[in-house]
Amino acid sequence: MRHPVAIAALTLIAACSRDKSQNANPGSSEVSKLPPAYASPEQSRAESLYFAGEYDSALSIWRHALATDSIRKDSAAQAHILMWLGMRQWRLGNYDSARTIAQQSLDLKLRLGRKGELSRSYNSLGLIARDEGRLIEARTLFNKAMQTARAVGDTAGINRGAINLALVLQDLGELNEAQKGFETARDAGKALGDARLEGNALNNLAALLIKMGDPAGAIPLLHQAADRYKSIEYNTGIQNSMGQLATAYDVLGEPQRAFALLDTASRMAQEQGLKQEQENNLRLFGELYQVAGDHQRALEFLGRARALSGELGLDGESGIILRAEARSQLAAGRSDLALGRMEEALRIHRGQKAMFEEMSDLITLSELADNVQAKAYISEALAIAAKINTPSARVDAALGKARFAQRIGDQRETINAVKRARS
């Protein structure tokens, strides 16, 4: 008789296997190697297919395995395969089924006392929670992943949890701590000879540097990350690095180069069925057109990105898109629409406690609100920038203060704010 957990998982997978969706951050640290007990040629092949982005082929192997007599009689093997099935659904953006299957895997492992494999399940559940905007829960899960890995001397598990925790710290606005986490994971990946861990850390560190105002410093790290990914044929990571490179070159004022890179990354994401990457690339295209001054085209791409983000349930990303839409709506003279978009973005990011995004929302809102409300928004933004305590955050807030001072005719404060930003 087939195990009820296996039946439930197969039912969920069958329902979702027709959807070619995706997840987000290939720069996150996923599970990496099968434990020896399950290292059959078929399972090793399925893992390789997963990391090569051939998700349907990997699914066929895992579904077949769950239907065999040997796996039906082995609950521990079922738990391990379920974990991978959950990761596939996460990678394809099918978050409801990913969460259900990942929780089934964890419950089985806890019941069986598989302490050596708990870290992987906590990591997978943390990745799902992060993408769904449940940042505090994700932080708790990644801490559990590190604790359970430490309890069994699993160095790789500790590092997987650490790099994922750094991602959440970045989302929460703790950028300096996030940077330390990525640098530690990068060094650990190099020391362990783990190209995926090192590549993920390099990729995430570069993305963080772009956010912190150092796109030039990010570019060599992204090339290094792509080299690590190519050495293990990790196509999802390669296309993510290309998208990050497009962002860096855009910030550096090289839009044509950015468009070319983003076009290639988008084709790769479509070929792999990675919906969250497709959504992210649509947003980036919109922002590129926005910088180029083509606000109608920007709004077309941003609208498509927001629709896909809503379909996937990515509230945090929806907030970022709303802010971008507000900028183009304002440029088109539709200030009421812009204000509505920004108020919704702020509500989302405050709910998630995503401080950096909240600060950016407040600065943008200060340009849309009346003078009294704008002053309050700027004061809040400056307070958050002090908490984040990075150069880019302080500069953004100081320039917001300068624009507000200029608007109300306070030339002395305008000059002082600009001086603070320059310093």
Side-chain angles (χ1 to χ4, degrees):
M1 180 178 177
R2 187 175 296 177
H3 194 285
V5 174
I7 293 173
L10 285 170
T11 302
L12 279 166
I13 291 294
C16 295
S17 61
R18 294 183 296 274
D19 297 334
K20 289 243 183 186
S21 343
Q22 132 155 3
N23 158 43
N25 213 325
S28 57
S29 187
E30 305 167 35
V31 292
S32 58
K33 293 184 179 180
L34 292 165
Y38 314 128
S40 67
E42 292 80 9
Q43 295 306 311
S44 296
R45 173 66 175 156
E47 177 189 357
S48 296
L49 289 167
Y50 171 90
F51 284 115
E54 298 181 33
Y55 302 113
D56 288 344
S57 298
L59 172 64
S60 296
I61 295 174
W62 288 321
R63 289 179 71 180
H64 175 74
L66 283 175
T68 62
D69 288 339
S70 59
I71 299 298
R72 285 206 304 263
K73 297 173 183 176
D74 187 345
S75 295
Q78 288 177 26
H80 183 77
I81 294 171
L82 287 172
M83 177 193 67
W84 278 97
L85 290 173
M87 291 300 291
R88 174 193 178 271
Q89 295 300 87
W90 164 74
R91 179 55 70 192
L92 293 176
N94 301 322
Y95 296 112
D96 287 343
S97 60
R99 191 184 329 106
T100 300
I101 297 169
Q103 188 63 52
Q104 288 174 345
S105 174
L106 175 62
D107 291 345
L108 261 180
K109 291 176 181 178
L110 288 168
R111 195 182 79 201
L112 296 168
R114 307 291 293 188
K115 294 181 179 180
E117 297 169 40
L118 294 178
S119 175
R120 294 172 181 269
S121 286
Y122 285 125
N123 258 318
S124 64
L125 284 165
L127 290 169
I128 296 163
R130 176 181 180 257
D131 279 1
E132 292 188 311
R134 294 177 284 117
L135 301 181
I136 303 304
E137 183 180 346
R139 182 173 62 185
T140 299
L141 287 163
F142 292 139
N143 276 317
K144 282 187 177 180
M146 294 172 67
Q147 290 166 6
T148 51
R150 198 173 290 117
V152 295
D154 179 5
T155 303
I158 295 168
N159 286 312
R160 280 194 297 270
I163 192 173
N164 290 333
L165 179 61
L167 281 169
V168 175
L169 293 175
Q170 173 183 300
D171 296 336
L172 293 170
E174 299 178 36
L175 304 190
N176 291 320
E177 289 304 309
Q179 182 172 356
K180 292 176 186 175
F182 293 142
E183 290 171 346
T184 299
R186 174 201 59 195
D187 296 343
K190 185 174 182 179
L192 293 168
D194 187 333
R196 184 170 291 106
L197 176 62
E198 186 182 1
N200 289 344
L202 286 164
N203 196 64
N204 286 328
L205 180 58
L208 180 60
L209 288 180
I210 295 171
K211 177 174 277 193
M212 294 173 72
D214 185 13
I219 288 174
L221 299 181
L222 289 167
H223 284 298
Q224 291 175 41
D227 288 342
R228 303 299 185 276
Y229 292 144
K230 288 174 184 175
S231 73
I232 53 175
E233 299 182 351
Y234 186 26
N235 294 331
T236 302
I238 294 169
Q239 72 86 30
N240 187 266
S241 291
M242 294 184 71
Q244 299 287 0
L245 277 168
T247 303
Y249 281 116
D250 175 43
V251 176
L252 289 169
E254 298 188 46
Q256 295 306 316
R257 199 167 186 176
F259 270 112
L261 284 162
L262 191 55
D263 187 59
T264 301
S266 295
R267 284 201 304 271
M268 292 178 69
Q270 289 171 354
E271 288 169 1
Q272 294 180 44
L274 305 179
K275 279 192 178 178
Q276 206 230 353
E277 292 293 346
Q278 292 174 42
E279 175 274 318
N280 190 61
N281 291 335
L282 285 169
R283 174 174 63 81
L284 291 175
F285 269 124
E287 291 175 342
L288 286 173
Y289 281 114
Q290 188 175 77
V291 172
D294 189 344
H295 292 285
Q296 185 56 44
R297 196 79 184 276
L299 286 169
E300 290 173 9
F301 276 93
L302 292 170
R304 289 166 59 192
R306 184 153 60 92
L308 188 50
S309 178
E311 176 188 326
L312 295 172
L314 304 173
D315 284 351
E317 184 69 12
S318 294
I320 295 172
I321 296 167
L322 285 164
R323 188 170 64 233
E325 284 185 312
R327 288 194 291 265
S328 282
Q329 294 288 6
L330 183 61
R334 296 186 283 266
S335 57
D336 287 349
L337 280 175
L339 181 60
R341 296 286 194 274
M342 283 311 311
E343 288 174 342
E344 178 65 10
L346 179 62
R347 183 193 65 78
I348 290 170
H349 291 138
R350 273 185 169 164
Q352 294 182 339
K353 302 187 185 302
M355 280 204 304
F356 193 96
E357 302 304 338
E358 181 184 351
M359 180 195 72
S360 299
D361 294 340
L362 289 165
I363 293 169
T364 303
L365 272 167
S366 72
E367 299 177 37
L368 297 168
D370 60 52
N371 289 347
V372 173
Q373 187 62 61
K375 183 177 181 180
Y377 284 143
I378 284 295
S379 295
E380 288 183 74
L382 287 166
I384 293 174
K387 289 181 182 177
I388 295 173
N389 195 31
T390 64
S392 62
R394 292 195 298 270
V395 166
D396 288 349
L399 289 175
K401 179 71 178 291
R403 286 191 292 270
F404 173 71
Q406 184 179 39
R407 188 172 104 187
I408 63 174
D410 188 341
Q411 298 305 317
R412 176 174 293 180
E413 182 53 37
T414 301
I415 293 169
N416 289 338
V418 169
K419 284 181 177 178
R420 285 195 294 273
R422 183 180 294 124
S423 67

